[in-house]
Amino acid sequence: MSTVTKYLIYGPKDDLKRMPEKLLSSHPPKFSFKHESTSGIDRVYVMVYEEYDKHTNSTVSVVCVSEYTPEHTRIHLKKSGGRLGFKGSSLREEKNIESDLIEFIIDYTTRFGLSLQNGGEGEEEYEK
């Protein structure tokens, strides 16, 4: 099972452009990739975070995709992994990497006066 959280952020283009780079420096990912368009205006950042939980003996991965355009920045957080069901399931009270990333996004947008729209959170289902 995986969940996807989407955000759409509007504001001054300098602050929007700086946001993914600040996220990279404050929360270094395990893997990262940056792509710039041929015109040099649009940018896409892909960051992969992994976190191991000893209590449930499972790994949780969070993929953060940030798409920058001069008009807005779109952020997708996709969490996958972990354990569900009776064996090994537990409600974790401590902070995890996904909550740290969401907290950073909300803090950055309020600090620089950006407009944050929540695109929704839901389960992503694949059809075969």
Side-chain angles (χ1 to χ4, degrees):
M1 181 175 93
S2 63
T3 58
V4 178
T5 308
K6 302 174 186 177
Y7 294 105
L8 195 57
I9 304 166
Y10 295 97
K13 63 181 177 180
D14 293 333
D15 294 330
L16 292 175
K17 186 185 276 189
R18 210 174 24 239
M19 184 177 180
E21 294 167 0
K22 290 285 187 183
L23 180 62
L24 278 169
S25 64
S26 64
H27 298 286
K30 188 167 187 175
F31 303 103
S32 66
F33 174 75
K34 175 184 172 185
H35 173 74
E36 281 191 44
S37 66
T38 55
S39 62
I41 297 173
D42 299 338
R43 295 180 181 174
V44 176
Y45 292 84
V46 179
M47 297 162 266
V48 179
Y49 297 90
E50 278 190 359
E51 182 177 60
Y52 178 73
D53 185 19
K54 288 183 180 180
H55 300 293
T56 60
N57 193 21
S58 64
T59 302
V60 175
S61 299
V62 177
V63 178
C64 177
V65 178
S66 173
E67 304 169 5
Y68 163 78
T69 62
E71 295 84 31
H72 65 274
T73 295
R74 180 172 297 157
I75 295 178
H76 297 270
L77 294 173
K78 181 174 181 174
K79 178 182 175 185
S80 62
R83 287 193 176 194
L84 297 174
F86 295 108
K87 191 174 190 179
S89 65
S90 65
L91 296 173
R92 294 177 35 168
E93 297 297 326
E94 65 267 6
K95 295 181 76 168
N96 58 11
I97 191 67
E98 183 185 28
S99 64
D100 287 343
L101 295 176
I102 291 172
E103 185 178 302
F104 173 84
I105 292 168
I106 293 171
D107 183 50
Y108 187 89
T109 55
T110 55
R111 190 175 334 133
F112 290 102
L114 304 176
S115 175
L116 176 70
Q117 292 182 359
N118 190 350
E121 180 177 331
E123 294 183 9
E124 191 170 298
E125 296 184 16
Y126 298 100
E127 295 181 19
K128 290 185 179 182

